């Protein structure tokens, strides 16, 4: 009888060892291959966040975790609505996914709030200020099983570039969503630095997409140029802002490559596919049990690149300085519209 009990305990221990960590064992008997299910929650649909998602899957694939092989992806988009984001987060927790990938600050906050007591790690990307979003402490350490990558804007470099391109501009406008912690944080840094580059800052806060058109009209009547943040609500409505700005011949600067493609004049920004890939590689470490999310400080890409749309410059009668043009990571000679 004792031998049977010991054998039973050994069998349980072996099973526990085989199933330790995230994911589920699969394949022939004795195989250690695991399958994973990840819920991807994206706050809004626009180019930079789409690129994050694409890069995230590439990063996982590079680490041997491939959709259709050993990875099942559940993807949901909140359409820039906080209530929807909360419902998505709750649904992923109910589905008992192995991990939630949250793209953009509001989704990261929502996902962590839903998963923090359920033993489901959250890995985020495109979160401008994880500290302000209360996902990390001042030293970059996670506040729980949550980590990821920051898309903090290179604001100093952006201001330098705008001043070089528009030497006579005086008033710089920014529209932002007052409920997005990432945007509030960026506005504070612009307020601190704008004067150093001879700009008077004019800001317009909005609360929803419905506010964009009127806020754009007000802002364009007051400023010489506009710069965008990575504000999800504003970026999702960027075509409306660009149409109004073009009518008034007011240059609009972007914060990343996709905004330049669709009609912003230029940007000192980051590559969101690269950012997503970096996030995917971090996520793979958590899924494989190599590290816990709570053991990994958030990361960021520190080197911005210059992107310019020469067609927009031509339409506005602006000459791109040779020093900037020659150092551009990518130039576009057309405006890409959907």
């Amino acid at each position: 009888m004792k031998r049977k009990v010991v054998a039973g305990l050994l069998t349980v221990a072996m099973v526990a060892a085989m199933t330790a960590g995230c994911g589920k064992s699969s394949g022939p008997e004795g195989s250690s291959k695991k399958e994973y299910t990840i819920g991807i929650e994206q706050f809004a649909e626009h180019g930079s966040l789409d690129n994050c998602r694409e890069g995230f899957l590439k990063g996982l694939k590079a680490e041997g975790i491939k959709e259709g092989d050993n990875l099942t992806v559940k993807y949901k988009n909140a359409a820039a609505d906080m209530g929807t984001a909360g419902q998505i987060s709750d649904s992923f927790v109910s589905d008992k996914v192995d991990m939630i990938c949250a793209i953009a600050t509001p989704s990261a906050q929502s996902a962590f709030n839903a998963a923090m007591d359920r033993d489901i790690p959250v890995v985020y990307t495109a979160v401008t200020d994880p500290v302000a979003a209360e996902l990390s402490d001042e030293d970059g350490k996670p506040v729980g099983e949550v980590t990821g990558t920051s898309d903090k804007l290179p604001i100093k470099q952006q201001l330098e570039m705008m001043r070089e391109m528009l030497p006579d501009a005086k008033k710089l406008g920014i529209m932002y969503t007052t409920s997005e912690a990432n945007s509030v944080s960026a506005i504070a840094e612009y307020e601190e630095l704008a004067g150093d580059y001879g700009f008077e800052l004019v800001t317009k806060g909005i609360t929803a997409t419905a506010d964009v058109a009127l806020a754009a009209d007000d802002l364009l009547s007051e400023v010489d140029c506009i710069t965008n943040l990575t504000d999800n609500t504003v970026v999702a409505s960027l075509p409306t802002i660009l149409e109004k700005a073009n009518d008034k011949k007011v240059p609009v600067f972007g914060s990343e490559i996709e905004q330049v493609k669709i009609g912003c004049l230029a940007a000192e920004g980051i590559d969101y596919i690269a950012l997503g890939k970096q996030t995917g590689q971090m996520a793979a470490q958590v899924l494989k049990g190599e590290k816990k999310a709570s053991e990994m400080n958030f990361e960021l890409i520190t080197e911005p690149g210059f992107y310019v749309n020469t067609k927009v410059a031509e339409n506005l009668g602006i000459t791109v300085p040779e020093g900037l043009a020659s150092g551009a990571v990518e130039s576009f000679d057309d405006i890409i519209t959907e």
Side-chain angles (χ1 to χ4, degrees), residues 255-308:
S255 57
E256 46 84 31
I257 184 173
E258 296 298 327
Q259 295 177 25
V260 178
K261 283 182 182 179
I262 68 171
C264 286
L265 174 58
E268 282 284 349
I270 63 175
D271 182 337
Y272 274 84
I273 290 181
L275 186 72
K277 186 174 181 180
Q278 184 174 337
T279 313
Q281 291 170 331
M282 294 176 71
Q285 294 182 66
V286 177
L287 289 170
K288 292 177 180 180
E290 297 170 359
K291 289 184 179 179
K292 297 181 70 173
S294 57
E295 298 170 342
M296 305 170 70
N297 286 18
F298 74 83
E299 300 178 2
L300 50 80
I301 291 178
T302 57
E303 292 299 323
F306 176 65
Y307 304 94
V308 63

Side-chain angles (χ1 to χ4, degrees), residues 188-203:
E189 188 170 353
Y190 264 108
E191 288 175 338
E192 180 182 350
L193 296 175
D196 295 343
Y197 298 89
F199 287 112
E200 178 185 340
L201 191 65
V202 180
T203 62

Side-chain angles (χ1 to χ4, degrees), residues 9-322:
L9 289 172
L10 287 173
T11 302
V12 171
M14 290 171 65
V15 171
M18 290 175 64
T19 57
C22 296
K24 304 172 182 65
S25 298
S26 65
E29 186 176 351
S31 170
S32 60
K33 180 181 177 181
K34 292 180 180 178
E35 292 186 354
Y36 308 95
T37 298
I38 295 179
I40 298 182
E41 176 180 334
Q42 185 171 317
F43 185 63
E45 188 166 353
H46 57 75
S48 57
L49 301 189
D50 293 342
N51 285 350
C52 279
R53 187 176 76 250
E54 179 184 343
F56 178 73
L57 294 174
K58 285 183 176 181
L60 287 171
K61 184 178 179 181
E63 299 298 325
I65 301 175
K66 180 181 177 182
E67 187 176 9
D69 181 9
N70 58 346
L71 172 64
T72 298
V73 173
K74 298 184 177 185
Y75 167 68
K76 295 185 179 182
N77 193 297
D81 183 85
M82 280 301 301
T84 303
Q87 293 170 7
I88 293 171
S89 299
D90 290 340
S91 72
F92 284 156
V93 169
S94 296
D95 291 344
K96 298 181 180 179
V97 297
D98 296 308
M99 171 182 288
I100 299 175
C101 169
I103 304 177
T105 302
S107 283
Q109 293 172 312
S110 172
F112 180 58
N113 286 338
M116 61 190 301
D117 296 323
R118 300 300 185 91
D119 199 31
I120 297 175
V122 173
V123 175
Y124 56 78
T125 186
V127 172
T128 301
D129 190 342
V131 177
E134 299 183 346
L135 300 169
S136 165
D137 67 17
E138 293 285 350
D139 297 321
K141 184 178 179 180
V143 296
E145 294 306 324
V146 57
T147 190
T149 57
S150 166
D151 63 345
K152 186 179 187 302
L153 293 172
I155 291 174
K156 182 175 181 292
Q157 292 92 329
Q158 180 85 345
L159 285 163
E160 288 175 350
M161 178 270 292
M162 291 189 292
R163 176 48 70 205
E164 187 171 354
M165 291 194 71
L166 302 177
D168 298 324
K170 294 180 174 61
K171 291 188 176 184
L172 170 64
I174 304 179
M175 188 189 307
Y176 72 104
T177 307
T178 56
S179 61
E180 288 198 28
N182 49 309
S183 297
V184 174
S185 173
I187 287 290
E189 188 170 353
Y190 264 108
E191 288 175 338
E192 180 182 350
L193 296 175
D196 295 343
Y197 298 89
F199 287 112
E200 178 185 340
L201 191 65
V202 180
T203 62
K204 293 291 180 183
I206 63 169
T207 59
T209 302
D211 301 334
V212 170
L214 182 58
D217 288 335
D218 288 345
L219 195 59
L220 288 165
S221 69
E222 298 180 40
V223 300
D224 301 308
C225 59
I226 288 176
T227 190
N228 279 313
L229 309 178
T230 51
D231 186 292
N232 297 286
T233 304
V234 173
V235 173
S237 301
L238 189 53
T240 298
I241 298 168
L242 287 170
E243 182 179 0
K244 290 176 176 292
N246 289 336
D247 287 344
K248 292 183 175 294
K249 297 293 184 182
V250 175
V252 178
F253 291 91
S255 57
E256 46 84 31
I257 184 173
E258 296 298 327
Q259 295 177 25
V260 178
K261 283 182 182 179
I262 68 171
C264 286
L265 174 58
E268 282 284 349
I270 63 175
D271 182 337
Y272 274 84
I273 290 181
L275 186 72
K277 186 174 181 180
Q278 184 174 337
T279 313
Q281 291 170 331
M282 294 176 71
Q285 294 182 66
V286 177
L287 289 170
K288 292 177 180 180
E290 297 170 359
K291 289 184 179 179
K292 297 181 70 173
S294 57
E295 298 170 342
M296 305 170 70
N297 286 18
F298 74 83
E299 300 178 2
L300 50 80
I301 291 178
T302 57
E303 292 299 323
F306 176 65
Y307 304 94
V308 63
N309 193 311
T310 56
K311 180 62 176 177
V312 174
E314 178 186 338
N315 291 346
L316 294 171
I318 293 173
T319 301
V320 181
E322 178 58 32

